[in-house]
Amino acid sequence: MTRTARVEPITEENREAILVSGWRVVDVTDSDNPQEISRHDSEPDAITAARDYERKTSREPGSAPDDTQDYDASEGGDRA
């Protein structure tokens, strides 16, 4: 079964700001039960790990082909 992954920041709050201390990859295939897959120091590393995770699971029997999901909303601007 093809899995769906999401990249999200790991944050720490203090009195002055919210700091991003890393990035996590979360399997959100079952939206009621998200599972953390890995943690990374940089967003690009987390994006690569998420893509690799989805690509790997798309090869399992009965899986739909892997799509070209964009993990970083800051890349590319508007898409029509």
Side-chain angles (χ1 to χ4, degrees):
M1 164 191 228
T2 301
R3 302 284 180 176
T4 303
R6 177 177 67 211
V7 173
E8 57 187 40
I10 301 168
T11 59
E12 297 175 11
E13 295 184 37
N14 65 29
R15 292 181 184 171
E16 299 169 11
I18 298 174
L19 305 172
V20 174
S21 61
W23 296 85
R24 76 176 102 231
V25 177
V26 180
D27 181 333
V28 293
T29 305
D30 178 357
S31 60
D32 293 330
N33 188 26
Q35 301 289 319
E36 184 176 300
I37 303 304
S38 59
R39 289 183 177 221
H40 305 272
D41 292 331
S42 71
E43 185 180 22
D45 289 345
I47 291 170
T48 299
R51 288 181 177 151
D52 290 345
Y53 178 73
E54 287 185 345
R55 187 177 307 114
K56 181 179 81 171
T57 62
S58 71
R59 295 185 190 129
E60 295 174 359
S63 294
D66 190 22
D67 64 11
T68 56
Q69 178 175 343
D70 180 18
Y71 296 92
D72 185 357
S74 67
E75 291 180 358
D78 291 347
R79 295 180 186 204

